[in-house]
Structures are given as structure tokens and as C-alpha cells.
Amino acid sequence: MSGPDFNLGPREQLKRRLLGKVALACAAGLIIAVLAAGAPRWARLAVFVPLWLAALGFKQSKERVCIALAARGACNFDQKEALIPDAARAARIRAKAKSIHRGALATASLGTLAFFACPPY
């Protein structure tokens, strides 16, 4: 191994965590708005996007891997973006990023399904 299998520094982790918190607050606000408006059941599906962004933010922060940087084979350790010179390390980080994205999609899907399945308010 020629380096850590992550591509984010502490400040970049904080940015992803903030994204997660803001997106989760937006999801909660959307849930309240949909219920208060008595919107049709299909409108509940709109909560997927903020739930997905929240899950992405929290998972990227926890794992210290940004999926966008990983796709470019880059890292950002709080200085500036730089390419990862070791191809094997970049591949490991990309694999971790794919896992993070799948997990975020699953989390958002389950949350959306739970909200959709709840009886009308």
C-alpha cells in the first residue's frame, strides 16, 4: 500500500457532514410540507432526492471518500485537489466510492419507501 484508502481531509469531511445535515433538514421539511398540504401519495416520492443527498454526505464524511473525486482519481486533503499517482490505490478508493453510492441509494430508497407506505395523515 502506498497511501491511505481515502481521499478527503478533515475540512473536506466537515463539508460532506454539513451537506448531510442540510439535506436531512430539507427532507424533514419536505415531509412536513407534504403531510400538511395533504398532497397526493405520489408526492411523497420527492423525499428521495434529499434523503439520497443526506446519506451521501454522511457516508462520504464517515468513510473519508468523496465519490466525485474518486471518479476523477483525485484527492483533497484540505489543500487543493490533486491526482492520486498510485493507480492501485485510486482503484481501491473508486471501489469504496461505488460502495458508498450504493449504500446511499439503498438508504434513500428505504426511507422513501417507509414514508410512502405510511397511512395518510
Side-chain angles (χ1 to χ4, degrees):
M1 255 206 254
S2 65
D5 285 347
F6 52 85
N7 64 359
L8 292 177
R11 189 171 59 226
E12 294 299 316
Q13 279 180 274
L14 184 61
K15 289 178 185 178
R16 278 29 173 226
R17 199 168 321 129
L18 180 61
L19 166 68
K21 290 176 182 179
V22 169
L24 190 58
C26 289
L30 184 58
I31 288 169
I32 291 167
V34 165
L35 292 176
R41 191 176 208 102
W42 61 264
R44 295 179 180 199
L45 299 176
V47 78
F48 177 83
V49 172
L51 286 178
W52 170 64
L53 289 172
L56 268 180
F58 288 128
K59 289 176 184 295
Q60 288 180 110
S61 176
K62 181 178 183 248
E63 297 294 327
R64 296 184 66 181
V65 171
C66 171
I67 63 172
L69 288 172
R72 293 192 302 271
C75 61
N76 187 335
F77 293 111
D78 300 335
Q79 305 298 321
K80 64 177 185 170
E81 189 175 315
L83 291 178
I84 299 170
D86 180 3
R89 179 174 162 238
R92 288 191 304 271
I93 293 171
R94 251 189 318 281
K96 199 179 224 185
K98 287 179 184 178
S99 175
I100 289 168
H101 195 232
R102 283 190 303 268
L105 286 171
T107 299
S109 296
L110 289 173
T112 303
L113 181 62
F115 181 45
F116 187 78
C118 287
Y121 178 51

